[in-house]
Amino acid sequence: MSLTTAQLQALAGFDADILAGLIEALNMGTAVDAKSSGALALDRYKSEISVSGTKAFTLAAPTAAGQRKKVVCVAATATPAGTLTVSSPDDTTGFVCASSFFFDNVGQELEFEATAALKWRCVAKKRVGRKALVIGTTVTTGICNMSHVDVSVTGTVASTSTMALPNGSAVGEIVSITCSTASTTPHGDLGGTYAKKDGTAGTLLDDFTLVTDNALLEWNGSAWKPLILSGTTLSIA
């Protein structure tokens, strides 16, 4: 049985640094918080969520600086669509955290740490599975930040605004983008916030033309930076 946050606060004498250490040291070893919907427990380090069909989860604002929270998807069935809404996500430049995350595959993981301002900073993210994205058609908002991406390109098409690649939330997170379909003289551009290899800004992952085209990108806190761009025409523009 774990201590509640209130009990830990009393034990720490309401010292924020001591409290943060106690939360991490004690709550990490407790039983997990198992949820099929609803609010995730703040007095458990780890929440395991099971997603069957369309489900909603919430993470309340942290109660102490340094508080940590891990969320893992352990079951995903019946066209899973689990949305986790995060209260008080970090809005610090370079560490901006999304306010919601979409779970649809077993093994998807998030880890948060509370800032001094009592906002949740995403410090680690594990993407699992692949989301099919028809360039020029699929709206990615709210469905595309916990999986990798397979794009489909027919003709000359572009995805921008709500159809673009969403920003990352954890510095160092990786996303893989592959091309599964390329037809009718394909030229596909995937909008997003990118950084070219020389450090200048880009707005497009430009010109998917073949099913062998692929990209491996890393979020640097403000943009997706290419680690690998494989394809004769693929570039950041």
Side-chain angles (χ1 to χ4, degrees):
M1 182 175 182
S2 86
L3 297 175
T4 66
T5 300
Q7 290 170 327
L8 287 171
Q9 287 173 329
L11 185 62
F14 296 91
D15 181 286
D17 292 332
I18 296 174
L19 177 60
L22 286 172
I23 288 173
E24 184 168 354
L26 295 178
N27 281 356
M28 275 191 176
T30 64
V32 299
D33 169 45
K35 284 289 190 297
S36 57
S37 65
L40 306 186
L42 288 181
D43 60 352
R44 295 287 191 275
Y45 164 66
K46 185 178 182 181
S47 287
E48 293 184 344
I49 63 173
S50 297
V51 182
S52 179
T54 300
K55 297 292 172 132
F57 303 86
T58 57
L59 178 61
T63 57
Q67 184 174 0
R68 297 182 76 91
K69 184 67 180 178
K70 187 171 187 177
V71 184
V72 183
C73 183
V74 296
T77 59
T79 314
T83 299
L84 171 64
T85 299
V86 179
S87 297
S88 196
D90 195 6
D91 56 1
T92 305
T93 300
F95 297 98
V96 175
C97 177
S99 60
S100 66
F101 295 88
F102 185 82
F103 289 84
D104 62 349
N105 277 278
V106 171
Q108 292 171 332
E109 293 184 9
L110 292 169
E111 185 164 7
F112 301 97
E113 182 174 2
T115 67
L118 297 186
K119 294 180 182 291
W120 286 119
R121 176 172 295 176
C122 187
V123 295
K125 182 200 285 191
K126 180 180 177 183
R127 292 174 181 255
V128 174
R130 309 200 71 87
K131 182 67 65 180
L133 190 165
V134 179
I135 289 187
T137 300
T138 305
V139 174
T140 57
T141 303
I143 66 164
C144 201
N145 61 5
M146 288 302 296
S147 56
H148 299 287
V149 176
D150 278 328
V151 299
S152 174
V153 181
T154 301
T156 299
V157 285
S159 284
T160 59
S161 186
T162 59
M163 294 183 287
L165 179 67
N167 288 348
S169 286
V171 174
E173 76 170 275
I174 301 294
V175 62
S176 163
I177 303 175
T178 56
C179 184
S180 59
T181 302
S183 63
T184 319
T185 315
H187 291 280
D189 297 341
L190 179 60
T193 304
Y194 301 103
K196 300 178 184 179
K197 289 185 177 181
D198 64 3
T200 57
T203 59
L204 293 174
L205 183 52
D206 182 55
D207 217 8
F208 284 93
T209 61
L210 300 168
V211 292
T212 52
D213 290 348
N214 65 84
L216 190 67
L217 309 174
E218 181 181 30
W219 183 250
N220 66 10
S222 58
W224 290 109
K225 183 177 181 179
L227 300 178
I228 298 173
L229 293 177
S230 180
T232 56
T233 59
L234 200 58
S235 66
I236 302 296

